[in-house]
Every structure is written in C-alpha cells, then in structure tokens.
Amino acid sequence: MAGGRIRARLKRSSLYTFGCIRPPRESIDEPHQFQGPGFSRHVCCNQPGFHRKKPLKYCTNYISTTKYNVITFLPKALFEQFRRVANLYFLLAAALSLTPVSPFSPYSMIAPLIFVVGLSMAKEAVENWHRFMQDMKVNMRKVLVHSGDGVFVRKPWMKLEVGDVVKVEKDEFFPADLLFLSSSYEDGICYVETMNLDGETNLKVKRSLEVTLPLDDDASFKDFKATIKCEDPNPNLYTFVGNFEYDRQTYPLDPSQILLRDSKLRNTGHVYGVVIFSGHDSKVMQNATKPPSKRSTIEKQMDKIIYVLFTLLVLISLISSIGFAVKTKYQMPNWWYIPPDDQGLYDPNKPSLSGFSHLITALILYGYLIPISLYVSIELVKVLQALFINQDIHMYDEETCTPAQARTSNLNEELGMVDTILSDKTGTLTCNQMDFLKCSIAGIPYGTRSSEVELAAASQMAMDLDESSRIGARSGPEIELEVVPKGVSCQNRIKGFSFEDNRLMNGNWVQEPNKDVILLFFRILALCHTAIPELNEETGMYNYEAESPDEGAFLVAAREFGFEYCKRTQSSIFVRERHIPSQEPIEREFKLLNILDFTSKRKRMSVIVQDETGQILLLCKGADSIIFDRLSKNGRLYEEATKKHLNEYAEAGLRTLAFAYRKLDISEYSSWNGEFLKAKTSIGGERDTMLEHLSDIMEKDLILVGATAVEDKLQQGVPQCIDKLAQAGLKLWVLTGDKMETAINIGFACSLLRQGMKQIRITTNVDHTSNMVIKENILMQITNASRMINLEKDPHAAFALIIDGKALTYALEDDLKRQFLDLAIECASVICCRVSPKQKALVTRLVKEGTGKTTLAIGDGANDVGMIQEADIGVGISGVEGMQAVMASDFAIAQFRFLERLLVVHGHWCYKRIAQMICYFFYKNIAFGLTLFYFEAFTGFSGQSVYDDWYMLLFNVVLTSLPVISLGVFEQDVSSEICLQFPALYQQGPRNLFFDWYRIFGWMGNGLYCSLIVFFLNIIIFYDQAFRSNGQTADMAVVGTVMFTCVIYSVNCQIALTMSHFTWIQHFLIGSSIITWYIFLILYGMLSPSLSGNVYQIFLEALSPAPIYWLSTLLVTVACNLPYLAHISFQRSFNPMDHHVIQEIKYYKKDVEDRHMWRREKSKARQDTKIGFSARVDAKIRHHLKFKLQKKSSPRAVSEPTPG
C-alpha cells in the first residue's frame, strides 16, 4: 500500500519530454470547429437514459459475432442449405414426387430431404450456439459503473450505455471506448497496453484534461454533468476529434484522452472514464467485419461435380424420354394390352406430351446419380473429425488447461490445402516476455546461455551431421563443435533474467580488467528508464512497472548484478549497490535532471543524472545504428568488437540495444537546460522540432560502453513449428503492428530471417512531398527489387521482403498491388510492419485472391479479427489476452506450435479422408444409378425400376453409409508420427492430388464400368437360364434383388480396397453392411404380400437355395473390383506415391532394420525451403564446406612452385 501511495503522489508527466506535457491553461487550443457530416455524436455524461431515446438511440454495449440469431436463423440457414446444388435439385424432385408422373411414392423423396437438411441445420445451430456462448463470456464481464449519488456498482459489460461513467481498475480491459477523465495519479496520467489492438508491447501514456483532474474519487461524480460532441463511429484507431463542454467551458479532445475497448489498463491503480462509443460502435468492433460464410475448396469443386452429374442425368433422361416417345408413337398401338391412360401420360396420339411427362419421370428415377445423403454424410464426418481435433491430447495446453477447438467443422479438409500462412506477431509468435540473455561490455562478450533459436538450430545441425552422407566423419565433429551451444542450466530461473556467466555474477565482475566500464554499464541498466518500483512484501524484492518488457528485463538484470533500483521521487532515483555479495548494500542517490524519452522516430532514450560526487552524466541507450553515429572519436574504442557481437546476437534472434554515456560540465549543462526548459514549456507547432534539435545537441560525442541482447521469448516450440511448416512447403507472412526493428528481431528469432539473407526494405523514405511522388518512389523500389531477384544467379540465395504500414498503403492500391504481390511471392519470407487491422485484412485478401490458393490467418487479438475473417481459414490463439480473435475464428488453439499438428496431421488426414469419401460416394451412386437407366432402356423406356422402393431408400441411408463414414473418420494413409517426420506429404493437399479432375473422372469411370458389369453380366447369366429347380426363369424381382446384392458386395469390397488403415471398426462396419442387407431381405420378405409385394419370401424360398445366385454374386463382385486392384498394384509397383513408399517401409519394418534407408527417405521428405532453422543449418553447413574446400586448395596452390 505504501508503494501505491508513493506512486500516486508522483507527477508522472514530468518523466516525459515529448509525449505527455500539458500546456498552461491559458494557452489551451481553441475548440474544434466541426464542418460537414460525420461529426453528429452527442454524449451527455452521467445521463445514460438520455441516449435511449430518438433521435440518438445509440447501440448498447452488447456485441455479437454469431452468424445467426433467433430471427435470421431459419431464412439464412435454409439459404445456406439450398445454396448447395444437390439440395436444390432434390427440393425440385420432392415437389415433383407429389405429381402422378413420379415413379416413387412422395415419402421416399421428401423424408430423406427433410432429414438431410434438418440435420445440417441442427449442426449449424449447435456451432452458432457455441459462438453465442463465447460472446456471452465477454458480454458478462463486470465493470464498476456509476449508479448515482457517487456510488459505483459492478455491472456486466453488456449493460453499459453511452454516457455511463465507469471506473476501470488495474489490469482490466476497457469495456467500451471511453473519454479519460482522471486516474490514481494526481496529474491524470495512465498507462495503456494496446497489444490486443495493434500488437505493440510498449505501454502508451494517456493524459486526461486538466479540468477533469478534480474528479478523482467516487463521490465527486455525484453531480457530474458534461457534454461531448465528437466524430461519428469509425474504424480509425489512431484519430479522434471532439469537444468537451464542462462548467460552461469548451475544451478540445484528441486521441490522447481516448481509451479504446479491448486495450488494458497497466501500471495505474484505476481510471475514471465516460462511455463515448459502445458495442459495435466502438473502434475495435468497427474494424471487424460480419462473420463471412466460408466454403471449402473441395465443397466448391463438389458443386461442379454435381453440375457434371446433373448434365449426365439430363442427358440420359432426354434419351429415355425420346425413346419413350418413339415407343409410344410407333409401337404402343400394336400393344393391345396397354390402352392409353386417362391422364395422357402415354398416348400414341400425343407422343410429345408423353415424352415430356416421361422426362420428369426419368429425372426423378435417375436422381440416385446425385447422392442426397452425400451432404449429410459429409456433415456427420466433419463433426466427428472436429471432435477428434478437440480431443487431441497433443494439442492440449496444460498451462492454461485449454484444448484445441474446431469452432466450425465446415473447413476441416481446407486445413490440408493451405499454401500461405499470415500470422500476427505479438501474442501469437511471442509471449511478450523479455529475458536478459547476453551482453557485450568493453568489447568482451558475456553470457553463456543459448537462445531458443541457437538450441533449435544446433539440434537440427547435430541431426543433419549425423544423418547426412554428404559430410565425412572427420568434418562432422569439427562443425558440431562450432555450432552446438554450451550447456544450459534450468535451475533457479528468474523471470526476465536468463543470463549465465560467472565472470559477472556474485560480484566477480570486480575482478575483470575493465571493471570501471562494467560499473558504468550496470548503472545505465539501473538508471536509464521511466519505471516505478513496487516492493513485493512476500518476497522482499522489488517488482517493476515498466513501459516496455525490455525495460523490465534490464531492471531485473541490474538487480541480479547487484544494482537494485529501489525508489523514485520527483527528482531522484535511488539504487542499492552491492559490489561484493558479502558486503551490505549501499543506497546511492542519483539526482534526475532530465529524461529524453524514447519515441519510434528517435529510437533512443537518455537520462541526465548527477551522482553523489556532483558529476553530471548523460546515459543513453538505443538502436545500435543510432548510437554508433553519435559516438565521439575517442568513444569508439570498443566499436568493432561490439558490432561483431551485435551481429552474433542478431543471428541468434536476440533484440539488441547499445549503451553509451557522456560526461557533462555544469556550465555546459546549465546553458543547455535553460534552452530545453524554455522549449519544453513552449506552445505551438515548433515545440517538438525544438525539443528534437536540443536533444540531438546533447546526445552526441558519446562514449560506447557496450550492448545488451534480450530474448523476446517466443512461445514454446515456435521455431520448430515454423521449421516444420516450411519443410511442408508452406509460406509464412508476418503482419504486425510493431515497429520495423522489433519485427526484424522476431524474424531472426523465428528463423524467418538469417544472416546472409538479402533484405528488401520498402519504406516511404521521401518526406514532405505529394502522394504521387511517394507512390512513384515505392513503385521504383518494388521494380528494382524484382529486377535484383531475377538477376540473382545463386540458387541458394534467399530474399526477405520487409515493408512498413505507410508504404503498404500505397502498395495495396489497385495499380500497384499486382507488382507488390509478385515481388512478395518471389521472396522466402515477408514481414509487414506497422500495419493497421484493416491493412492486415487487405493483405490477406490480396494473397487469397491474387494467388488463388488457400490462405490461413492466425492471431490472438482484436486487431487480427479482420484478417482471420478474410482468410480462407481463421485460427485464433486462445491466450491470456481478449477473446475477440477466438470468437471470430474457425479454429482455436492455445499455442502457435499446435498449428503444426493441426495442419500437418489433422489437415492432411481430413483432406484425404474427405476427398476419398466424396470420390467413393460418386462412384457408388453412378454404379447403382446407371443400372436403373440400363434396365429402363432394356424394358422399352417404360419408367419401370428394377429395384423395390425400399431397396432404393435404404441403399444410401443404411446399406452403404456406415463404411463410407468410417472412411471419412478413421482413414489414415500414415500415422501422425509419420506425418510429422515426413512433412512433405502435406503437399498432396495444396497440389490437390486426391481431388483433381483426373482422379474424379477416374472414379466416375470406375462407377460406369461397375454398373455395366453388374447389369449386363447378370442379364447374360439370368436371361435364358433356368433359375428354379423346376426350370422356371428368374422374374424381375429376382433379377433386381440379385443385381442389388452384387452392387452391395461390389461397393463394399471397393471401399475395403480403398482403405489403408484398418481397425476392428472398419471390419465390423463393412461386414455388418452386407449382413444387414441379408437381415433386411429376410425380414422384409416375411411381411405379408400386401406390404412386401413381389419380394415376398424371395430370399428364403428363391435366392438362397439357388447356387447360381451365390456364384453370380461372387463372379460379378470379382469382375467389378479386378480393374481397380490391377490399377493400384501397378501404381504401387511402378509409379508409387510418397505415402505408398512409406507404407511399404513400415510394413516390411525397414525403418527398424535399415535405418540408413529410413533416414534417407526422411531427408527427401522435406520441401526445399529458405526459411526455418533447417535452412539456417543448411546455409551454415554450405559455408563450412566452402571454407574447407578453400582451405584445402590454398596450400596446394602455394606449395606447387616450391620444388622449382
């Protein structure tokens, strides 16, 4: 509590030079003058009921990301169902079944349609309900709201209204867009984390109006009344224009007073604010788009197949109707036993009318070519696949107890067809935790612990050296010694501090030769910041509330080195120094004279302090390029060594800063400080320019001290995941709101960038000029980069494209975006920095539409929602930050590393399962449906079905449904372990090897062949052949039942040949499908003749005693499946696919007996890639081999002349 009181008494605004100065009251800018539309918002503070009435009637704070609501569910869900071509056809067929021309009873057409559509709608309803429950988790969050008389009560977010005064406490999210009134700091400062909005980890400083500072406790709002007039709701996160009318005065508002929904309050006890924009009017929700209706590539292609089959259906129906009309006109007059009917369906005098009515009959009769149960079977299979994804223990995060979640099952197979991944950075790739890992002081490197990138690369290199036959036994250990890092200890880990080096720890630094420089380095760590210390009473140690994670890591490191920052006043910083562990710490006071705070433009921060001896020092930390340019001639002693270490740290994926200092004379400082204070308190447009100029004057002639290397902790397994995805042939783009330097550091950490990779940076480097000039400059940069790539002759050369948000604005315009995309596609990795949420969505759309390939977007924050919804597949990270990304996503995972398994395993399986399932479905329906056409032609185009109505009703629903569902749910060409060991197998999906037209028409041809064999072989066998013992031939019921039996056997044997993975479930379902047919035949035959008709006792009395029935079933089944068996045997023997080779290796256990062959096949199963730590290792091995070859050749060249 004491720490909190001290903190509250601090006037935080005095810590900032550039961002947070409040001008004198008499010099406040004039109120904004609104002109034109777009500025009609009128908010009456502390009067929420006022906004419920017209003409205002602003929306509530309730948000919804669901696809349907109670009112729209029925019409929208029906539209979704009948957007499918097959369902539309069956709706027409069901309507026609009510007419006399139908060959079937109406219930046999209507009942399956209702069942299929109803089941699909029920699935949609369940998934929509889950989205609704996610929304309600957010809507039911609680916040303190003023209820009157100065009393604040907790209310759900959804109950907030425009005009409400709310009190948000530390580490809480803002429930709506608020006008900041006051905070726990007496000068109205608060810190806001916008990581959920723009991906930036640095805290933003917000300031309230001076006039609202007295509103600093609950009671002060009892009689508070004010009016806000401002801009209308819009998606721009970084602008705001409005006026605040209070106490008969009007004050201008700007973005520094606005607290946006889904950003978080940090380092501040509490703030008061008034709701300006609520619910879907808030800026973050304005950036969101309506949940799109996504369909997978396979489903879209399936519609095209339905069109093909429908064309075939119309064609054979026309043939049938023409044949029927010809028969009716020329032959029916001779058929005395068939008189014309009253309805004119077959009238020799009206053959055209008879042919037309028969066309409708044929369209319904041959409808089995288009499988109505296909969609419901796919829906069921996808739900079960989603269940397996949800239950996968390997994608369960134990730390947060969060499983993977398939929020929609419509896109399961799309997971196996992804070409490009577009990823957020903060919270997705990184966990926003910085660890102090290494440092360079006085040109000497310290820190023996390795970064995650180094460990991953070393592990991969060790494997490559062990497995690769390219490198000899002698060269292996030599290279291995150079790359495998030193031992890593995991004992006594301290958050923010992963440094290990006994030369600096425990006071040992006093034994180092440059101890004075080291002392100065530690003091820069402890003094150059704006953080506030808070004593943790449980541990007795200080915690630090810093603006950025880097700053916090530096202070923890200083504490561990023996320089503990313990107290801050308005004018001093206190540090407890313990040079030797046995000594008592000495508390030293450093007078804080000035802070030149960090900005993205300056890329540095400085403090001016006076130590206890009276010496004035400027301590500076910043980007190495900035610091090196400001060094004095005698301050460059350690420059070369430090640059070398900085390059090594960057290669290891670490974030680096350089440290420098300068001693100041009192007279020099006094003169400068007078000018500085004058500029600091000035008003006008020149203020920032003056401050920047004076800062530049002071921050020069520096002396280099050293550099730090901080690890921006990647989420667990991120480098390995990216490497595996790269080996699977996937491209990765990073879209982040962070500044370019941070994004580049993470690029190195993730191995998207590496030393030797040529970076193409596209920026708006032309200031203060027209948009046309900037656009032409960007076009020139893109053109030059494309030309450079085309002229590159080195096959191993890799390019990385890095572009900032301003340049991206122009690159995404219609006349530039094609050139930009072509350049990006040529690059190994693409990093877009400083991008807005809308730009993320636009880039995603460009990649999706420009390449025509499947895109996947993954993110964790509200700023990623547009990108997630725009991509073909959206994946949300269900981390500690808000749930906006998850609520908008199609799949949710807890960690980025689970994306590897989601795509490489489940995506690969789901794609092949669905593709094979659909192809098989069309095969069996063609095989079955065309026999109806052959029989009708055989019987004079009479419209007569050879099969009983119940046979046809049960064919798709019962007798062949379960095996095909088992194919879609349980089929595995290879196990999950093999999928991960052989990532190149994933490319079967993006290349669409199992659902291209060649394979589709192949299966259709197989169905055509099967139908011909089933019909004509049975007709040949039974046409003139005695069937019963007394010499009778088979009637239509017998022939139809035999043909149906042959179809059941053939299609079930076919699916057994198709499957690669058998469990007892598949054996049971295939066997039970055949047995079920016989059980049905027996039970149906036992019914009275009035119900069973011509099949009364047909199996027991007619079929089972006849050997010809069993022989014909066996013969036809073998004949139907023999060509497919020959095809797969030939393919496996002479043109095997990748998974065929792996299956045979596993079957013959060669992976155990011949490890060399197994390793060779594994190395071949990696797509050639230029990103990931495998690419980094390959580059390093090539470098070593090249160096060794040069080393071997050079002595020979020197020694040859010597004999002469």
Side-chain angles (χ1 to χ4, degrees), residues 374 377-389 412-413 906-918 920-921 960-972 1055 1058-1061 1065-1066 1069:
L374 171 60
S377 297
I378 289 177
E379 296 281 6
L380 180 59
V381 162
K382 287 183 176 180
V383 167
L384 293 173
Q385 287 177 349
L387 187 63
F388 283 136
I389 291 174
N412 294 350
E413 69 274 21
H906 290 284
H908 174 72
W909 283 348
C910 289
Y911 163 74
K912 293 191 74 172
R913 288 165 175 170
I914 294 293
Q916 289 181 304
M917 175 185 172
I918 294 172
Y920 172 78
F921 236 108
T960 60
S961 60
L962 294 179
V964 75
I965 289 173
S966 73
L967 174 71
V969 176
F970 299 110
E971 173 65 0
Q972 294 179 15
I1055 201 169
T1058 304
M1059 291 178 177
S1060 302
H1061 178 70
I1065 298 174
Q1066 285 94 323
L1069 292 179

Side-chain angles (χ1 to χ4, degrees), residues 1114-1129:
L1114 177 62
L1115 177 63
V1116 171
T1117 301
V1118 171
C1120 283
N1121 288 285
L1122 203 56
Y1124 182 79
L1125 182 62
H1127 163 70
I1128 59 175
S1129 300

Side-chain angles (χ1 to χ4, degrees), residues 1104-1161:
S1104 59
I1108 194 172
Y1109 166 71
W1110 301 103
L1111 291 172
S1112 64
T1113 301
L1114 177 62
L1115 177 63
V1116 171
T1117 301
V1118 171
C1120 283
N1121 288 285
L1122 203 56
Y1124 182 79
L1125 182 62
H1127 163 70
I1128 59 175
S1129 300
F1130 178 84
Q1131 185 184 40
R1132 283 179 175 271
S1133 299
F1134 299 102
N1135 188 27
M1137 300 181 75
D1138 293 338
H1139 65 283
H1140 291 152
V1141 176
I1142 297 169
Q1143 285 171 352
E1144 292 197 19
I1145 291 174
K1146 293 293 287 184
Y1147 180 79
Y1148 291 108
K1149 298 183 179 179
K1150 291 293 185 181
D1151 56 318
V1152 178
E1153 298 173 4
D1154 190 346
R1155 298 295 297 175
H1156 176 72
M1157 181 181 71
W1158 182 246
R1159 287 194 296 267
R1160 186 183 69 238
E1161 292 298 325

Side-chain angles (χ1 to χ4, degrees), residues 546-773:
E547 282 188 57
S548 68
D550 308 63
E551 211 168 69
F554 288 156
L555 289 171
V556 171
R559 183 188 69 200
E560 296 303 314
F561 287 133
F563 293 75
E564 184 177 41
Y565 164 50
C566 60
K567 189 168 67 171
R568 180 176 218 131
T569 66
Q570 209 67 44
S571 58
S572 298
I573 295 177
F574 295 84
V575 177
R576 290 178 183 166
E577 296 186 2
R578 190 199 302 262
H579 295 188
I580 301 173
S582 59
Q583 289 182 349
E584 285 296 315
I586 301 170
E587 186 172 293
R588 300 189 186 276
E589 178 183 358
F590 295 85
K591 290 183 179 179
L592 182 60
L593 304 179
N594 300 92
I595 295 182
L596 309 180
D597 45 299
F598 177 90
T599 66
S600 56
K601 184 178 179 181
R602 284 167 40 78
K603 299 180 182 178
R604 64 189 183 277
M605 176 196 176
S606 299
V607 295
I608 301 176
V609 297
Q610 187 174 32
D611 63 19
E612 293 174 336
T613 66
Q615 176 64 58
I616 299 177
L617 297 169
L618 179 137
L619 308 178
C620 184
K621 65 181 181 184
D624 50 74
S625 57
I626 300 295
I627 299 298
F628 288 155
D629 288 343
R630 297 176 177 276
L631 296 178
S632 64
K633 289 183 179 179
N634 62 348
R636 299 177 179 272
L637 180 60
Y638 314 120
E639 183 179 9
E640 290 304 316
T642 305
K643 280 184 176 179
K644 178 176 179 291
H645 301 151
L646 285 169
N647 288 333
E648 293 172 355
Y649 298 156
E651 173 70 11
L654 303 177
R655 297 173 64 153
T656 57
L657 285 178
F659 283 12
Y661 79 102
R662 178 187 175 193
K663 291 183 178 181
L664 302 175
D665 295 331
I666 294 178
S667 58
E668 178 189 6
Y669 170 73
S670 299
S671 174
W672 174 87
N673 191 45
E675 294 292 322
F676 187 74
L677 290 176
K678 183 178 176 182
K680 192 174 179 180
T681 55
S682 66
I683 301 299
E686 298 298 317
R687 174 181 175 274
D688 285 348
T689 304
M690 293 166 60
L691 287 171
E692 184 69 43
H693 174 67
L694 288 167
S695 298
D696 283 343
I697 291 174
M698 182 56 68
E699 294 170 324
K700 67 178 183 179
D701 296 330
L702 304 177
I703 299 173
L704 183 64
V705 176
T708 58
V710 174
E711 185 173 28
D712 188 352
K713 295 293 286 185
L714 297 173
Q715 290 196 11
Q716 183 183 349
V718 165
Q720 292 85 349
C721 177
I722 289 176
D723 190 61
K724 192 71 71 175
L725 294 174
Q727 291 177 25
L730 292 162
K731 305 174 186 69
L732 183 66
W733 292 34
V734 174
L735 312 179
T736 177
D738 257 344
K739 56 185 183 290
M740 185 174 286
E741 291 77 12
T742 305
I744 289 172
N745 283 330
I746 292 301
F748 278 103
C750 298
S751 293
L752 292 173
L753 303 176
R754 54 183 165 82
Q755 294 296 327
M757 182 180 276
K758 299 176 182 178
Q759 295 182 15
I760 300 169
R761 300 193 188 188
I762 298 179
T763 59
T764 52
N765 50 17
V766 181
D767 294 330
H768 308 296
T769 187
S770 67
N771 289 341
M772 185 59 67
V773 173

